[in-house]
mmCIF file of all heavy atoms in Angstrom:
data_model
loop_
_atom_site.group_PDB
_atom_site.id
_atom_site.type_symbol
_atom_site.label_atom_id
_atom_site.label_comp_id
_atom_site.label_asym_id
_atom_site.label_seq_id
_atom_site.Cartn_x
_atom_site.Cartn_y
_atom_site.Cartn_z
ATOM 1 N N VAL A 21 6.302 -10.041 -27.450
ATOM 2 C CA VAL A 21 7.349 -9.834 -26.419
ATOM 3 C C VAL A 21 8.624 -10.530 -26.875
ATOM 4 O O VAL A 21 8.576 -11.629 -27.354
ATOM 5 C CB VAL A 21 6.882 -10.387 -25.077
ATOM 6 C CG1 VAL A 21 7.952 -10.276 -24.023
ATOM 7 C CG2 VAL A 21 5.593 -9.727 -24.607
ATOM 8 N N VAL A 22 9.726 -9.857 -26.730
ATOM 9 C CA VAL A 22 10.973 -10.441 -27.163
ATOM 10 C C VAL A 22 11.761 -10.988 -25.966
ATOM 11 O O VAL A 22 11.894 -10.330 -24.963
ATOM 12 C CB VAL A 22 11.889 -9.385 -27.863
ATOM 13 C CG1 VAL A 22 13.230 -9.976 -28.187
ATOM 14 C CG2 VAL A 22 11.243 -8.863 -29.016
ATOM 15 N N ARG A 23 12.100 -12.217 -26.094
ATOM 16 C CA ARG A 23 13.008 -12.856 -25.058
ATOM 17 C C ARG A 23 14.113 -13.554 -25.790
ATOM 18 O O ARG A 23 13.859 -14.229 -26.763
ATOM 19 C CB ARG A 23 12.203 -13.885 -24.274
ATOM 20 C CG ARG A 23 11.170 -13.280 -23.380
ATOM 21 C CD ARG A 23 10.458 -14.364 -22.568
ATOM 22 N NE ARG A 23 9.336 -13.825 -21.875
ATOM 23 C CZ ARG A 23 8.097 -13.821 -22.327
ATOM 24 N NH1 ARG A 23 7.852 -14.274 -23.523
ATOM 25 N NH2 ARG A 23 7.134 -13.287 -21.655
ATOM 26 N N PRO A 24 15.365 -13.345 -25.378
ATOM 27 C CA PRO A 24 16.449 -14.003 -25.981
ATOM 28 C C PRO A 24 16.315 -15.520 -25.864
ATOM 29 O O PRO A 24 15.783 -16.021 -24.874
ATOM 30 C CB PRO A 24 17.688 -13.522 -25.245
ATOM 31 C CG PRO A 24 17.261 -12.448 -24.390
ATOM 32 C CD PRO A 24 15.762 -12.469 -24.274
ATOM 33 N N ILE A 25 16.739 -16.284 -26.854
ATOM 34 C CA ILE A 25 16.705 -17.739 -26.813
ATOM 35 C C ILE A 25 18.119 -18.103 -26.359
ATOM 36 O O ILE A 25 19.077 -18.062 -27.073
ATOM 37 C CB ILE A 25 16.388 -18.316 -28.204
ATOM 38 C CG1 ILE A 25 15.015 -17.795 -28.673
ATOM 39 C CG2 ILE A 25 16.446 -19.813 -28.151
ATOM 40 C CD1 ILE A 25 14.705 -18.204 -30.092
ATOM 41 N N PRO A 26 18.255 -18.635 -25.111
ATOM 42 C CA PRO A 26 19.579 -18.906 -24.541
ATOM 43 C C PRO A 26 20.247 -20.068 -25.150
ATOM 44 O O PRO A 26 21.465 -20.152 -25.212
ATOM 45 C CB PRO A 26 19.302 -19.041 -23.079
ATOM 46 C CG PRO A 26 17.889 -19.409 -22.950
ATOM 47 C CD PRO A 26 17.177 -18.803 -24.083
ATOM 48 N N ILE A 27 19.451 -21.131 -25.555
ATOM 49 C CA ILE A 27 20.076 -22.327 -26.062
ATOM 50 C C ILE A 27 19.385 -22.707 -27.369
ATOM 51 O O ILE A 27 18.206 -22.752 -27.479
ATOM 52 C CB ILE A 27 19.952 -23.503 -25.077
ATOM 53 C CG1 ILE A 27 20.586 -23.163 -23.747
ATOM 54 C CG2 ILE A 27 20.523 -24.791 -25.660
ATOM 55 C CD1 ILE A 27 20.397 -24.203 -22.672
ATOM 56 N N VAL A 28 20.214 -22.986 -28.404
ATOM 57 C CA VAL A 28 19.704 -23.459 -29.702
ATOM 58 C C VAL A 28 20.496 -24.687 -30.100
ATOM 59 O O VAL A 28 21.689 -24.696 -30.047
ATOM 60 C CB VAL A 28 19.931 -22.346 -30.776
ATOM 61 C CG1 VAL A 28 19.511 -22.831 -32.174
ATOM 62 C CG2 VAL A 28 19.166 -21.048 -30.386
ATOM 63 N N ARG A 29 19.805 -25.744 -30.444
ATOM 64 C CA ARG A 29 20.461 -26.981 -30.900
ATOM 65 C C ARG A 29 20.696 -26.892 -32.372
ATOM 66 O O ARG A 29 19.871 -26.491 -33.192
ATOM 67 C CB ARG A 29 19.575 -28.179 -30.623
ATOM 68 C CG ARG A 29 20.207 -29.471 -31.111
ATOM 69 C CD ARG A 29 20.002 -30.621 -30.311
ATOM 70 N NE ARG A 29 20.493 -30.538 -28.928
ATOM 71 C CZ ARG A 29 20.174 -31.386 -27.965
ATOM 72 N NH1 ARG A 29 19.388 -32.381 -28.167
ATOM 73 N NH2 ARG A 29 20.739 -31.256 -26.791
ATOM 74 N N LYS A 30 21.914 -27.239 -32.787
ATOM 75 C CA LYS A 30 22.400 -27.249 -34.170
ATOM 76 C C LYS A 30 22.820 -28.627 -34.618
ATOM 77 O O LYS A 30 23.441 -29.380 -33.794
ATOM 78 C CB LYS A 30 23.490 -26.268 -34.353
ATOM 79 C CG LYS A 30 23.141 -24.856 -33.931
ATOM 80 C CD LYS A 30 23.769 -23.870 -34.924
ATOM 81 C CE LYS A 30 23.331 -22.466 -34.589
ATOM 82 N NZ LYS A 30 22.631 -21.919 -35.767
ATOM 83 N N ASN A 31 22.510 -28.974 -35.818
ATOM 84 C CA ASN A 31 23.039 -30.248 -36.384
ATOM 85 C C ASN A 31 24.078 -29.833 -37.418
ATOM 86 O O ASN A 31 23.781 -29.042 -38.384
ATOM 87 C CB ASN A 31 21.930 -30.981 -37.082
ATOM 88 C CG ASN A 31 20.932 -31.502 -36.020
ATOM 89 O OD1 ASN A 31 21.325 -32.239 -35.127
ATOM 90 N ND2 ASN A 31 19.643 -31.164 -36.182
ATOM 91 N N LEU A 32 25.284 -30.285 -37.207
ATOM 92 C CA LEU A 32 26.409 -29.896 -38.031
ATOM 93 C C LEU A 32 27.073 -31.155 -38.714
ATOM 94 O O LEU A 32 26.901 -32.265 -38.151
ATOM 95 C CB LEU A 32 27.532 -29.185 -37.225
ATOM 96 C CG LEU A 32 27.079 -28.027 -36.394
ATOM 97 C CD1 LEU A 32 28.201 -27.562 -35.501
ATOM 98 C CD2 LEU A 32 26.586 -26.862 -37.300
ATOM 99 N N HIS A 33 27.755 -30.926 -39.771
ATOM 100 C CA HIS A 33 28.529 -32.000 -40.332
ATOM 101 C C HIS A 33 29.985 -31.620 -40.269
ATOM 102 O O HIS A 33 30.422 -30.688 -40.980
ATOM 103 C CB HIS A 33 28.092 -32.370 -41.746
ATOM 104 C CG HIS A 33 28.879 -33.483 -42.343
ATOM 105 N ND1 HIS A 33 28.575 -34.806 -42.075
ATOM 106 C CD2 HIS A 33 29.970 -33.486 -43.144
ATOM 107 C CE1 HIS A 33 29.496 -35.558 -42.639
ATOM 108 N NE2 HIS A 33 30.303 -34.783 -43.331
ATOM 109 N N HIS A 34 30.810 -32.356 -39.500
ATOM 110 C CA HIS A 34 32.194 -32.124 -39.425
ATOM 111 C C HIS A 34 32.929 -32.936 -40.460
ATOM 112 O O HIS A 34 32.558 -34.128 -40.627
ATOM 113 C CB HIS A 34 32.713 -32.453 -38.000
ATOM 114 C CG HIS A 34 34.114 -32.125 -37.740
ATOM 115 N ND1 HIS A 34 35.193 -32.890 -38.067
ATOM 116 C CD2 HIS A 34 34.675 -31.003 -37.146
ATOM 117 C CE1 HIS A 34 36.276 -32.347 -37.731
ATOM 118 N NE2 HIS A 34 36.037 -31.172 -37.144
ATOM 119 N N PRO A 35 33.932 -32.439 -41.173
ATOM 120 C CA PRO A 35 34.579 -33.204 -42.167
ATOM 121 C C PRO A 35 35.150 -34.561 -41.791
ATOM 122 O O PRO A 35 35.135 -35.500 -42.563
ATOM 123 C CB PRO A 35 35.640 -32.314 -42.760
ATOM 124 C CG PRO A 35 35.652 -31.050 -41.938
ATOM 125 C CD PRO A 35 34.505 -31.126 -40.969
ATOM 126 N N SER A 36 35.661 -34.674 -40.604
ATOM 127 C CA SER A 36 36.212 -35.990 -40.193
ATOM 128 C C SER A 36 35.373 -36.676 -39.107
ATOM 129 O O SER A 36 35.468 -37.872 -38.983
ATOM 130 C CB SER A 36 37.643 -35.785 -39.727
ATOM 131 O OG SER A 36 37.715 -34.917 -38.542
ATOM 132 N N LEU A 37 34.574 -35.966 -38.375
ATOM 133 C CA LEU A 37 33.770 -36.588 -37.330
ATOM 134 C C LEU A 37 32.399 -36.980 -37.726
ATOM 135 O O LEU A 37 31.686 -37.735 -37.108
ATOM 136 C CB LEU A 37 33.619 -35.606 -36.097
ATOM 137 C CG LEU A 37 34.981 -35.192 -35.428
ATOM 138 C CD1 LEU A 37 34.692 -34.207 -34.285
ATOM 139 C CD2 LEU A 37 35.768 -36.389 -34.959
ATOM 140 N N GLY A 38 31.925 -36.345 -38.858
ATOM 141 C CA GLY A 38 30.573 -36.699 -39.349
ATOM 142 C C GLY A 38 29.519 -35.813 -38.668
ATOM 143 O O GLY A 38 29.759 -34.696 -38.291
ATOM 144 N N ALA A 39 28.352 -36.394 -38.525
ATOM 145 C CA ALA A 39 27.177 -35.637 -37.947
ATOM 146 C C ALA A 39 27.408 -35.353 -36.458
ATOM 147 O O ALA A 39 27.797 -36.218 -35.717
ATOM 148 C CB ALA A 39 25.898 -36.414 -38.136
ATOM 149 N N LEU A 40 27.179 -34.088 -36.031
ATOM 150 C CA LEU A 40 27.244 -33.665 -34.654
ATOM 151 C C LEU A 40 26.010 -32.950 -34.277
ATOM 152 O O LEU A 40 25.456 -32.137 -35.078
ATOM 153 C CB LEU A 40 28.456 -32.776 -34.418
ATOM 154 C CG LEU A 40 29.835 -33.382 -34.724
ATOM 155 C CD1 LEU A 40 30.897 -32.259 -34.656
ATOM 156 C CD2 LEU A 40 30.164 -34.437 -33.731
ATOM 157 N N GLU A 41 25.511 -33.136 -33.054
ATOM 158 C CA GLU A 41 24.453 -32.367 -32.520
ATOM 159 C C GLU A 41 25.045 -31.485 -31.418
ATOM 160 O O GLU A 41 25.536 -31.970 -30.446
ATOM 161 C CB GLU A 41 23.376 -33.352 -31.934
ATOM 162 C CG GLU A 41 21.995 -32.918 -32.228
ATOM 163 C CD GLU A 41 21.000 -33.889 -31.750
ATOM 164 O OE1 GLU A 41 20.990 -34.234 -30.529
ATOM 165 O OE2 GLU A 41 20.217 -34.319 -32.545
ATOM 166 N N ILE A 42 25.011 -30.198 -31.643
ATOM 167 C CA ILE A 42 25.681 -29.254 -30.778
ATOM 168 C C ILE A 42 24.690 -28.213 -30.269
ATOM 169 O O ILE A 42 23.805 -27.794 -30.999
ATOM 170 C CB ILE A 42 26.851 -28.492 -31.564
ATOM 171 C CG1 ILE A 42 27.782 -29.457 -32.272
ATOM 172 C CG2 ILE A 42 27.542 -27.484 -30.677
ATOM 173 C CD1 ILE A 42 28.641 -30.239 -31.286
ATOM 174 N N ASP A 43 24.850 -27.809 -28.977
ATOM 175 C CA ASP A 43 24.021 -26.804 -28.419
ATOM 176 C C ASP A 43 24.796 -25.516 -28.321
ATOM 177 O O ASP A 43 25.884 -25.440 -27.902
ATOM 178 C CB ASP A 43 23.524 -27.186 -27.014
ATOM 179 C CG ASP A 43 22.605 -28.350 -27.031
ATOM 180 O OD1 ASP A 43 21.891 -28.505 -27.993
ATOM 181 O OD2 ASP A 43 22.613 -29.108 -26.030
ATOM 182 N N ARG A 44 24.177 -24.438 -28.828
ATOM 183 C CA ARG A 44 24.751 -23.092 -28.730
ATOM 184 C C ARG A 44 24.111 -22.343 -27.521
ATOM 185 O O ARG A 44 22.930 -22.192 -27.467
ATOM 186 C CB ARG A 44 24.527 -22.292 -30.057
ATOM 187 C CG ARG A 44 25.189 -20.915 -30.002
ATOM 188 C CD ARG A 44 24.733 -20.036 -31.120
ATOM 189 N NE ARG A 44 23.399 -19.514 -30.776
ATOM 190 C CZ ARG A 44 22.547 -19.017 -31.637
ATOM 191 N NH1 ARG A 44 22.871 -18.952 -32.918
ATOM 192 N NH2 ARG A 44 21.342 -18.588 -31.283
ATOM 193 N N HIS A 45 24.975 -21.943 -26.625
ATOM 194 C CA HIS A 45 24.547 -21.224 -25.435
ATOM 195 C C HIS A 45 25.005 -19.787 -25.588
ATOM 196 O O HIS A 45 26.201 -19.542 -25.891
ATOM 197 C CB HIS A 45 25.205 -21.803 -24.172
ATOM 198 C CG HIS A 45 24.998 -23.277 -24.018
ATOM 199 N ND1 HIS A 45 24.006 -23.764 -23.193
ATOM 200 C CD2 HIS A 45 25.631 -24.328 -24.534
ATOM 201 C CE1 HIS A 45 24.003 -25.079 -23.235
ATOM 202 N NE2 HIS A 45 25.006 -25.417 -24.031
ATOM 203 N N THR A 46 24.086 -18.833 -25.448
ATOM 204 C CA THR A 46 24.425 -17.407 -25.553
ATOM 205 C C THR A 46 24.134 -16.732 -24.226
ATOM 206 O O THR A 46 23.002 -16.793 -23.768
ATOM 207 C CB THR A 46 23.621 -16.748 -26.645
ATOM 208 O OG1 THR A 46 23.811 -17.449 -27.884
ATOM 209 C CG2 THR A 46 24.017 -15.314 -26.865
ATOM 210 N N LEU A 47 25.218 -16.116 -23.675
ATOM 211 C CA LEU A 47 25.102 -15.399 -22.424
ATOM 212 C C LEU A 47 25.367 -13.943 -22.701
ATOM 213 O O LEU A 47 26.451 -13.602 -23.189
ATOM 214 C CB LEU A 47 26.098 -15.913 -21.399
ATOM 215 C CG LEU A 47 26.079 -17.448 -21.132
ATOM 216 C CD1 LEU A 47 27.231 -17.881 -20.291
ATOM 217 C CD2 LEU A 47 24.726 -17.815 -20.418
ATOM 218 N N SER A 48 24.389 -13.041 -22.385
ATOM 219 C CA SER A 48 24.584 -11.659 -22.549
ATOM 220 C C SER A 48 25.429 -11.136 -21.379
ATOM 221 O O SER A 48 25.260 -11.570 -20.245
ATOM 222 C CB SER A 48 23.243 -10.931 -22.575
ATOM 223 O OG SER A 48 22.545 -11.329 -23.714
ATOM 224 N N LEU A 49 26.341 -10.243 -21.706
ATOM 225 C CA LEU A 49 27.203 -9.656 -20.666
ATOM 226 C C LEU A 49 26.610 -8.271 -20.403
ATOM 227 O O LEU A 49 26.847 -7.335 -21.160
ATOM 228 C CB LEU A 49 28.643 -9.568 -21.157
ATOM 229 C CG LEU A 49 29.164 -10.929 -21.532
ATOM 230 C CD1 LEU A 49 30.587 -10.772 -22.161
ATOM 231 C CD2 LEU A 49 29.250 -11.901 -20.356
ATOM 232 N N PRO A 50 25.819 -8.109 -19.344
ATOM 233 C CA PRO A 50 25.114 -6.884 -19.029
ATOM 234 C C PRO A 50 25.979 -5.631 -19.051
ATOM 235 O O PRO A 50 27.104 -5.651 -18.558
ATOM 236 C CB PRO A 50 24.518 -7.116 -17.617
ATOM 237 C CG PRO A 50 24.521 -8.575 -17.464
ATOM 238 C CD PRO A 50 25.689 -9.098 -18.299
ATOM 239 N N GLY A 51 25.435 -4.637 -19.678
ATOM 240 C CA GLY A 51 26.108 -3.328 -19.703
ATOM 241 C C GLY A 51 27.255 -3.204 -20.736
ATOM 242 O O GLY A 51 27.856 -2.164 -20.844
ATOM 243 N N SER A 52 27.579 -4.285 -21.416
ATOM 244 C CA SER A 52 28.784 -4.293 -22.260
ATOM 245 C C SER A 52 28.394 -4.277 -23.746
ATOM 246 O O SER A 52 29.260 -3.884 -24.542
ATOM 247 C CB SER A 52 29.672 -5.486 -21.994
ATOM 248 O OG SER A 52 29.074 -6.643 -22.481
ATOM 249 N N GLY A 53 27.210 -4.735 -24.085
ATOM 250 C CA GLY A 53 26.863 -4.884 -25.516
ATOM 251 C C GLY A 53 27.503 -6.123 -26.093
ATOM 252 O O GLY A 53 27.354 -6.337 -27.344
ATOM 253 N N PHE A 54 28.132 -6.965 -25.264
ATOM 254 C CA PHE A 54 28.796 -8.209 -25.789
ATOM 255 C C PHE A 54 28.012 -9.379 -25.313
ATOM 256 O O PHE A 54 27.303 -9.334 -24.330
ATOM 257 C CB PHE A 54 30.230 -8.256 -25.333
ATOM 258 C CG PHE A 54 31.118 -7.284 -25.866
ATOM 259 C CD1 PHE A 54 31.513 -6.165 -25.151
ATOM 260 C CD2 PHE A 54 31.637 -7.397 -27.177
ATOM 261 C CE1 PHE A 54 32.359 -5.173 -25.662
ATOM 262 C CE2 PHE A 54 32.522 -6.409 -27.709
ATOM 263 C CZ PHE A 54 32.829 -5.353 -26.981
ATOM 264 N N SER A 55 28.223 -10.480 -26.055
ATOM 265 C CA SER A 55 27.649 -11.800 -25.641
ATOM 266 C C SER A 55 28.728 -12.842 -25.656
ATOM 267 O O SER A 55 29.645 -12.718 -26.508
ATOM 268 C CB SER A 55 26.551 -12.240 -26.593
ATOM 269 O OG SER A 55 25.439 -11.321 -26.535
ATOM 270 N N LEU A 56 28.656 -13.823 -24.828
ATOM 271 C CA LEU A 56 29.551 -14.965 -24.786
ATOM 272 C C LEU A 56 28.780 -16.105 -25.442
ATOM 273 O O LEU A 56 27.675 -16.441 -25.005
ATOM 274 C CB LEU A 56 29.982 -15.296 -23.375
ATOM 275 C CG LEU A 56 30.786 -16.543 -23.240
ATOM 276 C CD1 LEU A 56 32.128 -16.375 -23.934
ATOM 277 C CD2 LEU A 56 31.023 -16.831 -21.824
ATOM 278 N N VAL A 57 29.340 -16.673 -26.491
ATOM 279 C CA VAL A 57 28.660 -17.815 -27.179
ATOM 280 C C VAL A 57 29.541 -19.066 -26.955
ATOM 281 O O VAL A 57 30.754 -19.014 -27.215
ATOM 282 C CB VAL A 57 28.455 -17.484 -28.699
ATOM 283 C CG1 VAL A 57 27.854 -18.692 -29.389
ATOM 284 C CG2 VAL A 57 27.657 -16.291 -28.880
ATOM 285 N N MET A 58 28.927 -20.132 -26.471
ATOM 286 C CA MET A 58 29.596 -21.403 -26.239
ATOM 287 C C MET A 58 28.935 -22.496 -26.976
ATOM 288 O O MET A 58 27.687 -22.475 -27.082
ATOM 289 C CB MET A 58 29.666 -21.714 -24.766
ATOM 290 C CG MET A 58 30.354 -20.708 -23.871
ATOM 291 S SD MET A 58 30.234 -21.139 -22.162
ATOM 292 C CE MET A 58 28.484 -20.917 -21.823
ATOM 293 N N TYR A 59 29.685 -23.430 -27.488
ATOM 294 C CA TYR A 59 29.083 -24.580 -28.169
ATOM 295 C C TYR A 59 29.481 -25.819 -27.322
ATOM 296 O O TYR A 59 30.648 -25.973 -26.965
ATOM 297 C CB TYR A 59 29.653 -24.690 -29.535
ATOM 298 C CG TYR A 59 29.145 -23.634 -30.495
ATOM 299 C CD1 TYR A 59 29.805 -22.418 -30.579
ATOM 300 C CD2 TYR A 59 27.929 -23.772 -31.207
ATOM 301 C CE1 TYR A 59 29.322 -21.418 -31.401
ATOM 302 C CE2 TYR A 59 27.415 -22.775 -32.032
ATOM 303 C CZ TYR A 59 28.158 -21.583 -32.124
ATOM 304 O OH TYR A 59 27.639 -20.581 -32.962
ATOM 305 N N THR A 60 28.486 -26.634 -26.992
ATOM 306 C CA THR A 60 28.671 -27.859 -26.234
ATOM 307 C C THR A 60 27.896 -29.017 -26.857
ATOM 308 O O THR A 60 26.965 -28.779 -27.590
ATOM 309 C CB THR A 60 28.252 -27.684 -24.766
ATOM 310 O OG1 THR A 60 26.855 -27.432 -24.728
ATOM 311 C CG2 THR A 60 28.951 -26.531 -24.081
ATOM 312 N N ALA A 61 28.281 -30.189 -26.454
ATOM 313 C CA ALA A 61 27.538 -31.389 -26.811
ATOM 314 C C ALA A 61 26.991 -31.969 -25.557
ATOM 315 O O ALA A 61 27.621 -31.862 -24.472
ATOM 316 C CB ALA A 61 28.382 -32.415 -27.536
ATOM 317 N N GLU A 62 25.797 -32.591 -25.608
ATOM 318 C CA GLU A 62 25.188 -33.210 -24.462
ATOM 319 C C GLU A 62 26.118 -34.254 -23.850
ATOM 320 O O GLU A 62 26.636 -35.091 -24.577
ATOM 321 C CB GLU A 62 23.809 -33.745 -24.831
ATOM 322 C CG GLU A 62 23.044 -34.262 -23.659
ATOM 323 C CD GLU A 62 21.651 -34.691 -24.075
ATOM 324 O OE1 GLU A 62 21.145 -34.292 -25.124
ATOM 325 O OE2 GLU A 62 21.087 -35.564 -23.321
ATOM 326 N N ALA A 63 26.314 -34.208 -22.568
ATOM 327 C CA ALA A 63 27.192 -35.197 -21.847
ATOM 328 C C ALA A 63 26.757 -36.583 -22.178
ATOM 329 O O ALA A 63 25.545 -36.913 -22.128
ATOM 330 C CB ALA A 63 27.188 -34.911 -20.352
ATOM 331 N N GLY A 64 27.675 -37.434 -22.521
ATOM 332 C CA GLY A 64 27.391 -38.852 -22.741
ATOM 333 C C GLY A 64 26.859 -39.143 -24.163
ATOM 334 O O GLY A 64 26.636 -40.280 -24.506
#
């Protein structure tokens, strides 16, 4: 069974900030064929 994975945690290296842990949130926009992708960091 296929279910979209709404949140994926990524570990990135920013050239000036260093290591970052970022969450990718993907929201499907029904009927449009488009998705909205947001990147956030855990509060605090």
Side-chain angles (χ1 to χ4, degrees):
V21 176
V22 175
R23 290 183 190 91
I25 301 172
I27 300 174
V28 174
R29 179 146 295 168
K30 301 219 172 239
N31 293 303
L32 307 172
H33 181 80
H34 186 276
S36 60
L37 301 178
L40 297 172
E41 221 175 57
I42 306 293
D43 293 330
R44 184 190 75 199
H45 306 263
T46 304
L47 306 171
S48 295
L49 304 174
S52 71
F54 293 101
S55 296
L56 173 65
V57 179
M58 299 177 292
Y59 291 89
T60 63
E62 187 175 335

